[in-house]
């Protein structure tokens, strides 16, 4: 069973069926406790409807529009460029290059004397086992290894403590 | 005649603001007219600010929340489908932004549902207007009692009475069933009456 208050609030808010509305109207008219409570709740409801809204500062609208403007200014150029245009240009160049490549491969006829009958190519690999060259290669490899270890160390440190990165 | 920063004179802006509907202003904004959005802000800022005040209870914070809401709304204006009223859509942004703000602000372990959190505000309000009986009109007591309510209760009352929102719309906004909103509104009004009665009792004692 609903309390008197709940019934009356439903009545005031207009959430009652016509039948319920009729019953509550009769109760308000005939029952003193209903009538007093109804008057009290209606007064509160009216006060709530009439309550004043708070006013923000004078510069509120200006601040909002400034915020929007600042946000626009912060967007990097790459984010403002339409990606579809970039994709279109990339597609155009890819197709052109591919078509050009196919056209060249189909049309190029190498003269017979360029390719020897025995097609095994005879490259001469430089000899690095001798003195000075060997030392240069070893120093180069050593430098690469140190650089590699340094980068690996940095990577592992970042992974262990992401806040530091 | 003042010219606003957006190149629109204030009287022109006012005329535009009073004539166009929210949807028309949104369409103009989406077409690149930022002055139309400024008008939309002006139209809704008082209610959005009041709603934010119901959550934060501090003017500076409320202003920050309200500004944040309008910027968020601008950002996602294109996604507004017009299936609900613009105000309903905007107030749902206010609700989520304010809740996020409260969660961030709550650095200690106290729950926001803990009424003791608001005892300070109550004391502050009564201390602020000591012996200033002239100011204590009906609306003053009402504002004071609303400020003492929990954010959800205060927001539901404000949305229902001042936001021109139906129970269904409030439900959508707060992600609740209409019936739950109805029960919450009923309880919020009950608590409001209790606070009003308690405050008035204190005031009569003070005056005697």
């Amino acid at each position: 069973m609903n309390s008197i208050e709940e019934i009356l609030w439903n009545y005031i808010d207009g959430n009652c069926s016509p039948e319920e509305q009729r019953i509550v109207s009769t109760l308000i008219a005939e029952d003193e406790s209903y009538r007093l409570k109804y008057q009290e709740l209606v007064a509160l409801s009216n006060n709530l409807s009439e309550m004043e809204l708070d006013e923000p500062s004078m510069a509120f609208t200006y601040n909002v529009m400034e915020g929007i403007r600042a946000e626009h200014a912060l967007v990097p150029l790459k984010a403002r460029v339409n990606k579809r245009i970039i994709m279109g240009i990339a597609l155009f160049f890819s197709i052109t290059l591919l078509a050009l490549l196919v056209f060249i491969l189909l049309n190029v006829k190498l003269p017979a004397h360029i390719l020897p009958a025995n097609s095994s190519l005879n490259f001469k690999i430089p000899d690095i086992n001798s003195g000075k060259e060997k030392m240069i290669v070893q120093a180069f490899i050593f430098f690469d290894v140190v650089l590699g270890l340094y980068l690996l160390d940095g990577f592992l440190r970042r992974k262990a403590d992401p806040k530091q990165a | 005649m003042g010219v606003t920063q957006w190149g629109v004179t204030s009287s022109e802006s006012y005329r535009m603001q009073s004539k166009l509907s929210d949807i028309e202003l949104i369409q103009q904004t989406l077409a690149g007219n930022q002055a139309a959005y400024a008008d939309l802000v002006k139209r809704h800022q008082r209610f959005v600010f009041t709603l934010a005040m119901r959550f934060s209870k501090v003017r500076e914070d409320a202003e920050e929340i309200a500004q944040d809401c309008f910027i968020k709304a601008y950002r996602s204006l294109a996604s507004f489908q017009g299936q609900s009223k613009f105000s309903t859509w905007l107030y749902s942004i206010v609700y989520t932004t304010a809740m996020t703000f409260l969660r961030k602000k709550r650095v200690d372990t106290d729950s926001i549902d803990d009424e003791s959190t608001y005892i300070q505000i109550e004391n502050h309000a009564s201390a602020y207007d000591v012996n200033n009986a002239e100011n204590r009109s009906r609306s003053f007591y009402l504002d004071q009692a609303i400020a003492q309510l929990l954010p959800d209760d205060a927001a539901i009352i404000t949305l229902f009475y001042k936001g021109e929102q139906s129970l269904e719309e409030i439900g959508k906004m707060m992600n609740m069933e209409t019936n739950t909103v109805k029960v919450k509104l009923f309880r919020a009004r009950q608590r409001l009456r209790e606070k009003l009665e308690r405050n008035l009792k204190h005031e009569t004692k003070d005056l005697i």
Side-chain angles (χ1 to χ4, degrees):
Chain A
M1 179 68 191
N2 289 348
S3 64
I4 296 179
E5 216 172 293
E6 205 171 345
I7 293 166
L8 288 174
W9 273 128
N10 279 340
Y11 178 76
I12 293 165
D13 293 343
N15 293 328
C16 290
S17 64
E19 179 65 15
E20 283 170 332
Q21 217 164 346
R22 197 184 53 77
I23 295 168
V24 178
S25 301
T26 320
L27 280 169
I28 292 167
E30 290 170 2
D31 192 323
E32 180 75 2
S33 60
Y34 268 88
R35 193 174 55 80
L36 288 174
K37 192 56 125 183
Y38 173 72
Q39 282 170 352
E40 187 190 329
L41 297 185
V42 165
L44 177 66
S45 186
N46 290 342
N47 286 340
L48 285 168
S49 300
E50 285 160 13
M51 101 188 133
E52 284 283 306
L53 291 176
D54 291 307
E55 191 81 56
S57 66
M58 297 276 279
F60 184 84
T61 313
Y62 174 80
N63 290 340
V64 170
M65 298 316 286
E66 272 297 293
I68 290 167
R69 196 191 58 76
E71 207 168 81
H72 265 276
L74 283 175
V75 176
L77 190 62
K78 67 177 177 184
R80 269 194 261 175
V81 175
N82 191 338
K83 280 186 180 165
R84 270 183 282 184
I85 295 172
I86 304 294
M87 293 298 283
I89 295 169
L91 196 70
F92 170 76
F93 279 109
S94 305
I95 291 170
T96 312
L97 285 172
L98 207 68
L100 202 66
L101 201 67
V102 170
F103 178 78
I104 290 168
L105 287 174
L106 287 176
N107 289 286
V108 164
K109 284 178 186 157
L110 290 171
H113 67 271
I114 289 180
L115 289 172
N118 181 4
S119 61
S120 61
L121 298 171
N122 195 16
F123 287 117
K124 195 191 173 200
I125 298 165
D127 182 18
I128 56 161
N129 288 327
S130 60
K132 200 177 171 185
E133 281 180 352
K134 189 181 175 182
M135 214 170 75
I136 291 169
V137 171
Q138 278 176 344
F140 181 72
I141 290 170
F142 178 74
F143 177 75
D144 279 358
V145 169
V146 170
L147 196 68
L149 285 171
Y150 176 75
L151 290 173
L152 184 70
D153 179 60
F155 172 71
L156 290 175
R157 273 171 200 269
R158 271 204 301 275
K159 215 174 167 185
D161 187 7
K163 277 181 194 167
Q164 224 175 20
Chain B
M1 185 187 294
V3 177
T4 65
Q5 210 223 337
W6 314 103
V8 181
T9 59
S10 48
S11 62
E12 274 171 17
S13 171
Y14 181 75
R15 251 180 278 136
M16 200 165 95
Q17 187 190 349
S18 55
K19 271 182 194 170
L20 300 176
S21 70
D22 283 356
I23 301 292
E24 285 167 325
L25 286 174
I26 290 167
Q27 283 164 350
Q28 287 197 7
T29 308
L30 291 173
N33 179 8
Q34 281 200 330
Y37 192 68
D39 286 336
L40 208 55
V41 173
K42 272 182 212 149
R43 185 177 289 179
H44 293 279
Q45 66 184 20
R46 283 188 74 195
F47 188 81
V48 167
F49 177 70
T50 306
L51 199 55
M53 275 289 281
R54 299 291 181 249
F55 287 93
S56 74
K57 319 273 182 189
V58 179
R59 274 193 75 88
E60 287 74 23
D61 290 343
E63 198 143 325
E64 194 186 318
I65 294 170
Q67 276 176 22
D68 199 21
C69 290
F70 280 114
I71 293 172
K72 276 184 188 167
Y74 180 85
R75 225 183 278 148
S76 33
L77 206 57
S79 69
F80 173 64
Q81 303 289 315
Q83 285 161 344
S84 60
K85 284 191 282 188
F86 172 71
S87 57
T88 310
W89 182 75
L90 180 67
Y91 303 160
S92 66
I93 296 178
V94 180
Y95 182 71
T96 40
T97 309
M99 291 307 274
T100 314
F101 178 86
L102 282 187
R103 250 177 254 132
K104 269 188 202 165
K105 190 127 190 171
R106 201 177 47 189
V107 279
D108 52 4
T109 50
D110 285 353
S111 161
I112 54 163
D113 294 335
D114 184 359
E115 292 212 24
S116 64
T117 316
Y118 297 101
I119 285 171
Q120 268 194 318
I121 294 158
E122 182 191 341
N123 291 340
H124 173 75
S126 54
Y128 181 70
D129 284 294
V130 170
N131 298 329
N132 195 3
E134 284 168 24
N135 288 337
R136 298 182 180 188
S137 60
R138 208 182 305 164
S139 66
F140 167 80
Y141 287 115
L142 205 56
D143 284 344
Q144 190 191 42
I146 288 176
Q148 291 164 1
L149 287 175
L150 296 173
D152 254 9
D153 286 350
I156 285 181
I157 287 178
T158 310
L159 284 165
F160 187 74
Y161 284 100
K162 299 305 290 180
E164 293 164 2
Q165 303 293 309
S166 67
L167 294 176
E168 289 83 11
E169 285 166 334
I170 298 173
K172 268 185 209 162
M173 213 181 291
M174 294 177 140
N175 224 356
M176 289 173 194
E177 291 289 319
T178 309
N179 238 6
T180 316
V181 178
K182 197 173 152 187
V183 174
K184 271 183 165 275
L185 178 67
F186 171 69
R187 288 190 186 144
R189 285 187 293 209
Q190 254 185 336
R191 285 186 200 118
L192 181 72
R193 284 182 57 232
E194 283 165 17
K195 304 265 182 215
L196 269 171
E197 277 165 22
R198 205 178 62 189
N199 292 347
L200 285 168
K201 212 183 279 175
H202 283 176
E203 293 304 315
T204 352
K205 269 184 199 165
D206 282 353
L207 287 171
I208 292 167

